[in-house]
Amino acid sequence: MRDKDFDIKNPKKKFQKTERVPPEGYECANDFFEDMYMDKDMIWMGQNTNHLHGDTIADAMVDAVREKTYCRYPAPEGFRELKQLILDDLGFKDLEVLLTSGATESLYLCMQALLEPEDNVILSDPGYFIIGDFANRFAGEVRYVPIYYEENDYKLTPDLLKENMDENTRMVILIDPLNPLGSSYTEDELKEFAEIAKENDLYLVHDVTYKDFAREHFLVENYAPGQTLTIYSFSKIFGMAGLRIGGVISSKPIIDAIKNAVINDLGVNIISQYGAIAGLKSKSEWFEEMRQTCFENQRLINEMIEPIEGVFLPVYPSDANMMVIDLSGAGINPKEMSNYLIEKKLFTREGEYTSEEFGDRYLRISFSIPTEEIKVFCEEFPKAVEALRK
């Protein structure tokens, strides 16, 4: 029998989800994001997207559209060629690739397939809170570990993991490099995480969305095989955020379990797959130039920030295509800064999107955009600090 308070016209929300609070003047966050998206003059530093590509990926997708490949359903589990190219990019052998509509879907499927109500999950704060929202649906608890401290290099450490886990911990999320801070893990740290996972029967979800922007990067799958799920995205280094394609790579038993949770049985967007193949095949042609542009862009930002009193970069250099600017010493609310910069045609993100505990301290900016646009930011940001300083 249904609860007597059940109202079919006003159902209760079944799941928790981090609220996206729209800026003043907007009724919902979607309207705000649409306005940002439609403004062709806006400099895009708010969503860690990549705007540095030539036409190779686009041309492959245009050809696929012209040939009307979209009129047929694709192979339900994706092109073999694409999956092999992903394995080659990671240097993996004898593993399975499950293609999904963006890495976000991969994260959801991992939570749904592998977590039970008695489990808890370890996630850092700051971090990518969508993962926590997903985990909350299937696990009993998500434990957010505060990591916004210099003494732990602004990242989850093996010691912090051991301090916060218990016999019910089933999964640890390693976002590497970390959104929003750009901190990343050494090989020794990943080996230590792997030992903890093996000793305690934990899954390690290694989200490597930003790996290609890092100065150096390692894969925990190499140290904890059979317990690692590597999350792969085409949104960032390949500049394909709006095309929604990604995947999860793991052992066959784990991927088989995740496949049981799949609802998209008719396959991943076919045009996106052609673009992804072209991106991987051409990567060696554009990869290093793009990285150097990003290194130079964050160098310019650091050079601009250093003389500003009360403002600093917690992580520099960043190993991602984004970083945070701590405004707390200047008494500036990050949301006020974000709103101010929008008026200057600079789209950035306040910290509350990635941290409940520390989000009132920092502004997140991405820098995989043309250097000329970074120079505009470097000109406007000091003016904004002086206008808002308390």
Side-chain angles (χ1 to χ4, degrees):
M1 181 179 291
R2 285 198 181 276
D3 189 309
K4 65 180 180 180
D5 294 327
F6 176 76
D7 182 350
I8 197 167
K9 293 184 178 180
N10 296 283
K12 294 179 181 178
K13 293 181 179 179
K14 192 172 183 179
F15 301 115
Q16 298 178 21
K17 192 172 184 180
T18 303
E19 184 181 2
R20 292 185 176 182
V21 181
E24 187 175 345
Y26 288 91
E27 291 188 7
C28 69
N30 191 76
D31 289 348
F32 166 72
F33 286 117
E34 182 173 348
D35 279 358
M36 296 300 100
Y37 179 87
M38 298 300 289
D39 189 337
K40 294 182 179 180
D41 295 324
M42 189 67 66
I43 294 176
W44 206 261
M45 301 177 70
Q47 291 186 324
N48 306 340
T49 48
N50 184 357
H51 304 258
L52 295 172
H53 269 283
D55 295 330
T56 303
I57 294 171
D59 287 345
M61 292 190 291
V62 169
D63 289 344
V65 169
R66 285 179 175 152
E67 292 170 12
K68 297 187 177 178
T69 59
Y70 55 82
C71 293
R72 304 185 299 275
Y73 287 114
E77 295 183 7
F79 288 137
R80 288 189 298 268
E81 180 183 18
L82 176 54
K83 291 189 282 187
Q84 186 59 53
L85 285 166
I86 291 171
L87 291 176
D88 292 345
D89 188 52
L90 294 167
F92 290 162
K93 294 181 178 179
D94 302 321
L95 292 177
E96 298 284 314
V97 178
L98 176 64
L99 294 175
T100 57
S101 296
T104 300
E105 184 184 22
S106 287
L107 291 162
Y108 182 89
L109 292 173
C110 291
M111 308 298 159
Q112 184 178 17
L114 302 176
L115 293 175
E116 300 293 342
E118 64 268 23
D119 297 335
N120 66 60
V121 176
I122 303 292
L123 182 64
S124 67
D125 179 1
Y128 186 46
F129 276 4
I130 288 175
I131 303 176
D133 289 342
F134 294 161
N136 264 320
R137 299 181 184 187
F138 306 108
E141 181 187 5
V142 177
R143 298 184 174 181
Y144 291 98
V145 179
I147 56 101
Y148 193 74
Y149 302 108
E150 186 176 1
E151 55 264 35
N152 50 260
D153 293 327
Y154 297 96
K155 59 186 173 182
L156 184 69
T157 64
D159 285 341
L160 284 173
L161 171 57
K162 288 185 278 191
E163 289 171 15
N164 286 276
M165 62 184 286
D166 61 22
E167 67 275 8
N168 292 319
T169 302
R170 187 58 55 225
M171 184 178 284
V172 180
I173 313 298
L174 300 175
I175 308 171
D176 174 30
L178 177 62
N179 176 10
L181 294 166
S183 44
S184 63
Y185 293 104
T186 67
E187 187 173 22
D188 286 342
E189 287 169 334
L190 291 180
K191 286 180 178 179
E192 194 168 349
F193 280 123
E195 288 305 309
I196 296 169
K198 288 186 283 190
E199 291 169 4
N200 296 276
D201 292 329
L202 308 179
Y203 288 115
L204 293 175
V205 175
H206 196 195
D207 184 339
V208 300
T209 293
Y210 300 97
K211 72 178 180 65
D212 288 309
F213 297 100
R215 292 161 295 169
E216 191 173 33
H217 191 269
F218 305 94
L219 295 161
V220 76
E221 166 67 35
N222 294 324
Y223 313 112
Q227 293 173 238
T228 299
L229 300 102
T230 303
I231 306 298
Y232 191 95
S233 174
F234 284 90
S235 293
K236 308 306 177 183
I237 195 68
F238 297 99
M240 297 175 66
L243 288 156
R244 313 311 308 128
I245 183 166
V248 53
I249 302 93
S250 194
S251 64
K252 188 177 189 305
I254 290 177
I255 294 297
D256 283 348
I258 295 172
K259 284 179 182 178
N260 256 9
V262 168
I263 60 169
N264 189 14
D265 275 335
L266 296 177
V268 174
N269 185 302
I270 192 70
I271 306 303
S272 299
Q273 290 191 59
Y274 281 111
I277 289 170
L280 282 163
K281 283 185 169 181
S282 65
K283 187 175 179 181
S284 62
E285 299 169 13
W286 47 259
F287 177 64
E288 194 54 41
E289 182 180 356
M290 184 176 296
R291 281 164 51 85
Q292 291 305 318
T293 298
C294 289
F295 294 155
E296 172 63 9
N297 287 350
Q298 64 166 312
R299 186 194 68 78
L300 291 172
I301 293 167
N302 178 63
E303 188 178 78
M304 176 269 293
I305 292 291
E306 278 189 333
I308 302 178
E309 186 178 351
V311 176
F312 72 99
L313 302 176
V315 177
Y316 177 81
S318 166
D319 277 322
N321 67 334
M322 97 295 288
M323 57 174 53
V324 304
I325 303 175
D326 192 301
L327 303 168
S328 58
I332 297 173
N333 181 294
K335 184 177 279 291
E336 290 182 11
M337 174 62 79
S338 177
N339 291 340
Y340 184 97
L341 291 172
I342 284 171
E343 295 300 315
K344 305 297 180 181
K345 297 296 183 181
L346 290 157
F347 174 39
T348 60
R349 294 301 294 276
E350 60 272 16
E352 67 180 30
Y353 182 66
T354 52
S355 175
E356 290 188 4
E357 185 168 347
F358 306 104
D360 61 349
R361 295 180 62 93
Y362 63 79
L363 184 79
R364 187 190 71 184
I365 60 168
S366 54
F367 45 79
S368 48
I369 60 176
T371 300
E372 289 307 309
E373 295 183 347
I374 291 294
K375 290 178 179 178
V376 174
F377 174 77
C378 290
E379 181 179 341
E380 292 295 338
F381 183 81
K383 299 175 185 176
V385 170
E386 294 311 308
L388 298 173
R389 187 188 292 278
K390 294 181 174 64

